[in-house]
Amino acid sequence: MAVLGQRVESRKMENMNKKTYRRALTIAGSDPSGGAGLQADLKTFAACGCYGASAVVAVVDENTVGVTGVHPIPVDFVTGQIRSVLDDIGADAIKIGMLHSSELIRAVRHTLARYPIKNIVLDPVMVATSGDPLLEADAVATLRDELIPHVRVITPNIPEAELLLGEKIESQESLPDTAKRLSERCGGISVLLKAGHLHDDELIDVFYNAESGQHLMLKSRRSSTVNTHGTGCTLSSAFAAFLAHGHDLDRAATLAKNYIAAAIEAGADYTIGHGHGPVHHFHAFWQ
């Protein structure tokens, strides 16, 4: 035992002189086609300079055309994965994606409450790009009322914001007020409200920073492309990655927006699959 203790202490001293990674954990479902879910999250973490870890909540049978089925991982096994990562590696930021049931949502909340991690970004995934539902109907209220108030940022698109608020969103001009009201409805968290489902020529996402009470308008050129599979996963993961690097909310939101805009634009030049293709996660590195 004494020898083992000496080895542990020696290893600790050795590690003190080494560099450390910025660490990001994704809690999400899988996508075997690689464009969305935890596969997109891990690609995004890597592209944005983070060491990525994952806890798989469901194995999803899908491709660029649609979702065929969802096979949930047992809840205790999901929370075990989270604990295994956080007890050993830790995390500077966490991204939460598809949580398909109320039981899972509550279990994730209770597990994360044990760890002092502030940078939690939640993408309220409810419907796939193909239109297929990914969240049980009764879990919407559980997500809104029991988990979202305990995260730092949510990144809903228009349909997701409508479900969370229980009202229609009709125009670009209404987004700043909608983002603020959504923040207030969900416990005072910050909201990055994505405008992609609107039809204005200029795409303007709205970030409401609940910690400063200010709005940030995030503009980009609207791309004419079907390659939008996994855009929500990618944006929220980029946001988490830049928070892991120590950026403040406004800077992380801006960097994440710039990353996804460039990934969509670069991905539009490629074809893969027969439906909604992916964005180009590694646009900054591939020639």
Side-chain angles (χ1 to χ4, degrees), residues 59-269:
V59 179
V60 182
D61 180 2
E62 72 172 315
N63 55 26
T64 66
V65 177
V67 177
T68 302
V70 178
H71 179 71
I73 303 297
V75 170
D76 287 347
F77 201 82
V78 174
T79 56
Q81 294 176 77
I82 296 170
R83 290 194 300 271
S84 290
V85 172
L86 296 182
D87 287 345
D88 179 29
I89 296 171
D92 299 296
I94 296 174
K95 177 268 173 81
I96 301 175
M98 183 188 77
L99 301 179
H100 50 272
S101 70
S102 291
E103 180 188 10
L104 178 60
I105 291 166
R106 293 186 178 111
V108 168
R109 175 195 164 187
H110 293 317
T111 302
L112 293 181
R114 304 176 185 177
Y115 301 90
I117 301 172
K118 180 180 181 181
N119 293 323
I120 302 177
V121 178
L122 186 144
D123 181 19
V125 179
M126 300 176 189
V127 179
T129 302
S130 59
D132 297 285
L134 296 172
L135 182 69
E136 295 175 5
D138 66 337
V140 174
T142 307
L143 186 72
R144 181 190 62 218
D145 300 335
E146 300 187 33
L147 179 58
I148 286 179
H150 299 278
V151 307
R152 193 176 187 191
V153 181
I154 62 172
T155 60
N157 59 29
I158 297 295
E160 291 160 352
E162 289 176 338
L163 281 172
L164 292 171
L165 273 176
E167 63 183 60
K168 294 292 292 182
I169 300 170
E170 303 289 354
S171 67
Q172 177 74 57
E173 291 74 23
S174 70
L175 295 192
D177 180 64
T178 300
K180 183 177 181 180
R181 287 190 295 107
L182 186 54
S183 169
E184 294 167 348
R185 176 67 178 83
C186 295
I189 43 80
S190 295
V191 177
L192 175 51
L193 182 52
K194 299 173 291 189
H197 284 77
L198 299 177
H199 301 288
D200 302 74
D201 292 335
E202 188 174 32
L203 183 60
I204 307 176
D205 297 337
V206 176
F207 178 57
Y208 175 68
N209 185 334
E211 296 171 25
S212 67
Q214 301 296 313
H215 289 89
L216 185 64
M217 304 300 155
L218 301 169
K219 301 179 181 181
S220 64
R221 183 173 61 185
R222 185 179 291 276
S223 296
S224 178
T225 176
V226 298
N227 293 340
T228 56
H229 184 52
T231 50
C233 306
T234 299
L235 175 62
S236 55
S237 296
F239 204 143
F242 291 122
L243 288 176
H245 280 285
H247 295 294
D248 63 30
L249 282 173
D250 286 353
R251 181 61 176 161
T254 301
L255 291 171
K257 169 68 175 185
N258 292 344
Y259 172 79
I260 187 61
I264 291 172
E265 187 168 348
D269 294 334

